[in-house]
Amino acid sequence: MIQVAGKQMAWHEGMTVSDLLDELKDPHPYAVVRINQQYVTRPNFEHTFVPDDADVFLIPMIAGG
Amino acid sequence: MPDYDFKDAKTLDYKRPEMENGYTDQTLYINLSDPQIAIKPVAEKTKKTFIGGKGYDLWLLWNAVQPSTRWNDPENALCIAAGPLGGTPIYPGSGKSIVATLSPTTASVIDSNVGGYFGPYLKFAGFDALEIQGKTTAEMVVFIDGVNQKIQLFETSGLPENAYELSAILTEHFAQGKPRNISVVSTGPGAKNTLIGCLNFTWYDSKRKRARYKQAGRGGVGSVFADKGLKAVVACWNNVTADTNKPADKARLKNVAKQHSREIVELDPKQNEMAKIGTTHLVTIMNDHDLLPTHNFRYGQHTQAPNLGQEVYRRMFDPGFDGCWMGCTVACSHGIKDFVPLTGPYKGKKVFVDGPEYETIAGCGSNLGIFDPHTVAEMNFYSDAYGLDTISVGTGIAFVMECFEMGLIDQSHTGGLDLHFGNRDAALEIVHQMAAGEGFGQIVGQGVRRMKALFAKDFGADATIMQDIGMEAKGLEFSEYMTKESLAQQGGYGLALKGPQHDEAWLIFLDMVHNFMPTFEQKAEALHWFPMFRTWFGLCGLCKLPWNDIIPEDNKDTAEPAKVLKHVRWYADYFSAITGNEVDPDDLIKMSESVYNFQRIFNLRMGFGRRQHDDLPYRAVGPVTETEYESRAERYDKQLAEIYKADIDGKSTAEKLTQLRKQREEQYEKLKDAVYKRRGWTPDGIPTHKTVKRLGIDFDEVVELLRANGVNS
Ligand code: SF4
């Protein structure tokens, strides 16, 4: 089980950030998510694995400067 | 006994006016040449048109200077203002001051916003803005004592040169046991000896029992301050509450302030954790998107970037509340305790470093090929203490490092310094030389534009290549984002009124990552709305971070997520609650439009403000060298073939580089056309008569100026 934006979500072995977003069916084009204290950016979504028990935050927009 | 001396030069006792709906309706005028202190009323029309903050600064400056005025003429004015909402302690981010003056590096108007307590204290002492003209050969400290209703000018001697000690001493000197009542504005020796000086504005950190500071960095505002002979300007005020600003509707203010404040407390831990790591999270994010400048903006990525990332600074920052104004729940102004510099006058001693923020990390770290967080912190500490802008320091040193590696300059020019990228000792040595006004550092301190001319004239360096790689526009050094792959952000930098600083528009993710604005018209619309909305913060005395760095959870489902319209509505509510003028979100844009166009016209008055002045160095637009092209060959080849339908088969890198450059430069010119049209400007980038009339800035002088520049309709 993982927490995504405060809600419980099923976890499976080999789950990547891209898988997570697909399974969430959230169409927003996230550029960044945070897993625990680690930032993961879109170029890395496909090859970053989500660990079990992770706390995942979906960061809606990076505003910059 | 302290070994410094204060001698009375002039005093004015005054009666503090009642604050009303965020305004005092008067400004403070000081002339240092023949010491003079005066209080000027604010006309109703000025208030309506210019709102406050940057708007008031610009109006005061416009009336103080002539088109022939230069930055170091006595009539140049240094203006500092809060704004009608500034000083509200219950709404996050409500303590900004805006500084405006004629810049030594751009020769036109520069504005710089900064945290710390000064702007609110100045206002509560009775003044919506401060205007300082004239020059003195003595060292002068101005004391604005709102508690005792007294303005004092002191000739001082024996005070320390650097802002780190000066801020602490002046806080103690004026505090009478209440250091939280004091805010000091000062600079340091670097500002005196270069053209890229910053100002340090203090806020008192009660927990750590020390005066901390934030910087008004851009465009050499600190150099103007030092050139005037100012040692410091100090404001004193006590007891700030939600009533101090005398809001028109306190219940409404409390309601909206509570909503925004609570949302930040709830969501910041889930989003970017700014209360813990400030803006340092941007380092790795920018790096992953090829947007973190490295090696003088050649590349946007480096394998060692995580060494400068949030995980490192999370460990280095001293935990605790770090709000640069009272009650700011974002509280992102972090610092490093017990830092021990390895060089300079504080070598081996424990100091407190205010920062670093993202810009300093990128400017004094990755852009110099330096991936050592300790060096960045040391550059940060000394730049602040010496009164130097870390962005111009970083971008300036990056330029000379590239010139050195290209062989345009060598050790015979640099006084023996080996300026290869990554040389930490050399970078720090340049900062110390800037402060001393000696050696090659003194040259770097003139800014990139002057260096380009000097290297060509005195060292025989190739002016064309320096034009491409010298990262300045309008005379201001670039702040620290890569723009090569975002046409909209090229506009965000190139079309910014004061020069390439990201506070007008930051559109990179919208454009590049989300592809939300594929057409020129959409980009132009963004380059209208965002600069206008961001300008509004500067009119009101606000920090923009609470607007879009912490975002409502449902924001992504809104029609225009980048605008964070829920917050925009809150800001309209906030403005209405304080001033009693009922406004909606569109009104906020209109307020800014008047001031924004006025500033563009101010540039025109100073001999700038036309299309040619919105040009960019090509490094900001695309790859300058074959090596740069080849490092991202797949990307560029694909663009040439698919977007520009170019036949690249069998073409050399040099040929492809030329083709790409032609295309990208054309795109940028088309963007200018679209933006000028959207803003109601001529194709030469000048606001039309119709535009100034619509905005209520068709003063006789403005109309005359437009006519003199061939704009009649
Ligand atoms: S958000 Fe950060 S910079 Fe802005 S006012 Fe708050 S503490 Fe200061």
Side-chain angles (χ1 to χ4, degrees):
Chain A
M1 228 24 140
I2 54 175
Q3 288 262 341
V4 182
K7 294 195 187 87
Q8 297 262 314
M9 183 175 167
W11 175 83
H12 57 81
E13 191 71 44
M15 182 187 220
T16 64
V17 178
S18 295
D19 297 338
L20 181 152
L21 291 173
D22 283 348
E23 287 165 36
L24 258 186
K25 298 199 175 19
D26 181 342
H28 186 75
Y30 294 99
V32 183
V33 303
R34 189 153 66 77
I35 302 180
N36 303 321
Q37 286 187 344
Q38 203 67 41
Y39 287 89
V40 183
T41 59
R42 191 195 281 204
N44 303 308
F45 283 177
E46 268 179 39
H47 54 259
T48 303
F49 294 106
V50 181
D52 196 7
D53 293 325
D55 207 353
V56 180
F57 303 102
L58 305 172
I59 300 187
M61 185 77 65
I62 288 290
Chain B
M1 271 297 282
D3 48 7
Y4 51 85
D5 197 43
F6 281 69
K7 201 170 94 210
D8 264 316
K10 188 103 189 164
T11 298
L12 176 81
D13 291 299
Y14 69 100
K15 178 148 175 31
R16 201 177 52 239
E18 279 296 313
M19 177 75 57
E20 204 190 328
N21 301 353
Y23 289 96
T24 68
D25 292 332
Q26 61 179 27
T27 62
L28 177 62
Y29 174 78
I30 289 171
N31 195 312
L32 300 166
S33 296
D34 167 24
Q36 197 188 334
I37 308 170
I39 294 172
K40 299 180 184 174
V42 177
E44 199 50 41
K45 163 102 173 136
T46 306
K47 187 172 169 180
K48 196 161 168 277
T49 312
F50 294 99
I51 311 299
K54 175 162 118 167
Y56 278 18
D57 283 348
L58 291 175
W59 182 237
L60 292 171
L61 188 61
W62 171 279
N63 289 301
V65 302
Q66 299 295 322
S68 56
T69 306
R70 294 293 161 255
W71 72 277
N72 52 358
D73 287 337
E75 67 261 30
N76 186 17
L78 185 99
C79 305
I80 307 176
L85 313 191
T88 306
I90 56 172
Y91 202 105
S94 298
K96 288 272 176 168
S97 305
I98 314 295
V99 186
T101 190
L102 294 184
S103 157
T105 59
T106 74
S108 192
V109 192
I110 190 81
D111 60 277
S112 198
N113 75 64
V114 55
Y117 292 178
F118 185 83
Y121 282 10
L122 170 74
K123 189 170 80 170
F124 297 148
F127 309 103
D128 289 337
L130 166 67
E131 174 191 1
I132 303 176
Q133 259 191 321
K135 265 171 128 162
T136 169
T137 46
E139 271 183 13
M140 197 77 91
V141 170
V142 176
F143 183 44
I144 301 161
D145 183 352
V147 176
N148 295 302
Q149 305 182 69
K150 202 189 271 270
I151 312 294
Q152 286 174 288
L153 307 188
F154 296 104
E155 278 182 22
T156 60
S157 59
L159 286 167
E161 280 279 295
N162 76 68
Y164 184 67
E165 273 171 58
L166 184 62
S167 303
I169 285 177
L170 291 179
T171 301
E172 194 190 324
H173 178 86
F174 287 110
Q176 303 195 325
K178 295 180 178 162
R180 201 165 186 246
N181 290 359
I182 297 297
S183 178
V184 178
V185 179
S186 71
T187 184
K192 203 179 281 177
N193 292 319
T194 70
L195 302 179
I196 55 171
C198 76
L199 289 173
N200 290 285
F201 280 56
T202 68
W203 57 282
Y204 193 75
D205 183 337
S206 301
K207 191 197 116 200
R208 297 182 185 88
K209 298 201 177 355
R210 59 166 56 246
R212 310 259 314 264
Y213 46 44
K214 298 282 282 186
Q215 290 70 38
R218 304 311 332 264
V221 293
S223 298
V224 175
F225 190 94
D227 179 70
K228 289 195 169 302
L230 275 169
K231 190 75 182 169
V233 182
V234 183
C236 175
W237 180 249
N238 57 6
N239 197 24
V240 178
T241 70
D243 283 321
T244 318
N245 232 344
K246 287 279 157 23
D249 185 341
K250 191 173 156 195
R252 186 174 179 187
L253 168 67
K254 277 175 111 171
N255 180 42
V256 67
K258 196 154 86 184
Q259 290 185 68
H260 204 158
S261 218
R262 275 201 183 152
E263 189 193 81
I264 289 168
V265 172
E266 189 200 327
L267 297 182
D268 180 51
K270 299 186 192 174
Q271 294 179 11
N272 292 315
E273 297 185 290
M274 296 183 79
K276 289 209 172 98
I277 57 169
T279 51
T280 60
H281 62 284
L282 290 170
V283 176
T284 51
I285 295 174
M286 293 304 128
N287 187 58
D288 287 347
H289 285 95
D290 207 15
L291 292 168
L292 177 75
T294 74
H295 303 84
N296 193 32
F297 297 88
R298 264 191 272 179
Y299 310 114
Q301 215 161 46
H302 197 280
T303 49
Q304 289 183 51
N307 292 352
L308 301 176
Q310 70 279 353
E311 289 321 313
V312 175
Y313 288 105
R314 190 192 290 274
R315 287 193 299 273
M316 289 173 80
F317 286 147
D318 186 38
F321 176 77
D322 290 310
C324 75
W325 172 241
M326 299 168 196
C328 182
T329 42
V330 183
C332 69
S333 302
H334 304 300
I336 304 170
K337 196 176 132 191
D338 294 339
F339 179 81
V340 182
L342 300 173
T343 66
Y346 290 89
K347 180 177 171 178
K349 296 179 191 157
K350 283 184 186 169
V351 296
F352 193 96
V353 185
D354 271 292
E357 296 179 22
Y358 166 79
E359 297 290 334
T360 304
I361 298 171
C364 297
S366 60
N367 213 9
L368 307 183
I370 293 172
F371 295 94
D372 161 28
H374 192 285
T375 303
V376 171
E378 191 158 335
M379 299 268 289
N380 186 147
F381 173 76
Y382 278 118
S383 293
D384 293 350
Y386 293 155
L388 293 164
D389 170 23
T390 53
I391 296 178
S392 288
V393 164
T395 301
I397 298 177
F399 170 67
V400 295
M401 283 184 161
E402 185 162 11
C403 287
F404 189 87
E405 290 209 343
M406 280 186 166
L408 299 168
I409 57 172
D410 60 34
Q411 275 172 300
S412 71
H413 307 118
T414 66
L417 287 176
D418 171 354
L419 286 182
H420 280 100
F421 281 111
N423 189 339
R424 299 176 289 184
D425 296 341
L428 277 161
E429 179 56 23
I430 287 180
V431 173
H432 296 308
Q433 289 182 355
M434 283 179 180
E438 288 170 356
F440 192 63
Q442 200 269 336
I443 294 175
V444 182
Q446 303 303 298
V448 171
R449 180 164 283 196
R450 282 184 171 80
M451 277 195 281
K452 288 191 293 192
L454 189 141
F455 292 178
K457 185 167 153 280
D458 294 354
F459 307 159
D462 179 341
T464 311
I465 185 72
M466 285 193 295
Q467 181 52 36
D468 282 350
I469 63 166
M471 292 300 281
E472 60 84 16
K474 298 186 172 81
L476 185 72
E477 286 73 28
F478 273 65
S479 72
E480 309 298 335
Y481 294 100
M482 293 293 287
T483 56
K484 282 181 195 171
E485 303 314 316
S486 167
L487 178 59
Q489 188 56 29
Q490 289 163 27
Y493 272 149
L495 303 173
L497 296 173
K498 64 171 169 253
Q501 167 74 1
H502 55 280
D503 61 351
E504 266 198 23
W506 196 90
L507 303 171
I508 302 180
F509 268 25
L510 267 189
D511 187 28
M512 206 184 97
V513 180
H514 303 305
N515 195 22
F516 278 172
M517 36 188 187
T519 69
F520 283 104
E521 286 65 33
Q522 285 162 318
K523 287 180 171 62
E525 186 56 42
L527 282 165
H528 179 69
W529 195 90
F530 286 95
M532 295 314 145
F533 190 56
R534 285 175 174 245
T535 295
W536 184 80
F537 289 94
L539 307 185
C540 293
L542 301 181
C543 174
K544 82 97 207 160
L545 297 183
W547 161 50
N548 69 351
D549 279 69
I550 294 110
I551 294 169
E553 286 192 309
D554 58 0
N555 184 65
K556 65 185 174 57
D557 304 320
T558 61
E560 295 182 283
K563 292 184 178 172
V564 199
L565 286 169
K566 179 178 177 189
H567 289 175
V568 178
R569 282 191 291 275
W570 282 351
Y571 281 114
D573 213 18
Y574 180 20
F575 187 89
S576 306
I578 295 271
T579 66
N581 298 329
E582 196 59 42
V583 294
D584 64 28
D586 287 344
D587 295 322
L588 309 187
I589 301 296
K590 276 185 221 138
M591 288 179 208
S592 297
E593 248 190 301
S594 301
V595 177
Y596 192 90
N597 279 269
F598 183 76
Q599 190 170 349
R600 180 74 176 185
I601 289 164
F602 204 155
N603 282 341
L604 185 70
R605 184 180 182 225
M606 299 309 294
F608 307 95
R610 287 173 177 275
R611 187 180 186 104
Q612 72 193 84
H613 303 112
D614 293 335
D615 286 349
L616 289 169
Y618 186 63
R619 176 60 61 74
V621 178
V624 171
T625 62
E626 290 183 34
T627 321
E628 273 167 85
Y629 188 102
E630 280 159 8
S631 74
R632 275 109 178 118
E634 200 186 324
R635 175 191 298 164
Y636 298 136
D637 281 354
K638 196 167 164 221
Q639 277 178 16
L640 276 173
E642 290 180 11
I643 302 175
Y644 304 124
K645 312 287 178 225
D647 176 12
I648 56 169
D649 271 358
K651 294 275 190 318
S652 69
T653 303
E655 286 168 321
K656 289 190 284 189
L657 197 64
T658 308
Q659 272 184 313
L660 187 70
R661 181 169 187 152
K662 187 170 169 291
Q663 295 292 351
R664 288 198 170 191
E665 287 182 333
E666 272 174 26
Q667 299 278 306
Y668 182 63
E669 291 304 318
K670 282 186 193 156
L671 181 72
K672 278 185 188 169
D673 288 334
V675 174
Y676 294 162
K677 192 167 164 220
R678 174 63 187 89
R679 288 181 181 174
W681 296 358
T682 69
D684 198 22
I686 303 174
T688 62
H689 190 82
K690 203 169 140 205
T691 301
V692 297
K693 203 166 164 37
R694 176 175 67 81
L695 298 171
I697 51 168
D698 52 338
F699 315 120
D700 291 347
E701 261 187 288
V702 166
V703 172
E704 193 45 50
L705 181 70
L706 293 183
R707 206 169 283 141
N709 283 279
V711 180
N712 295 307
S713 58

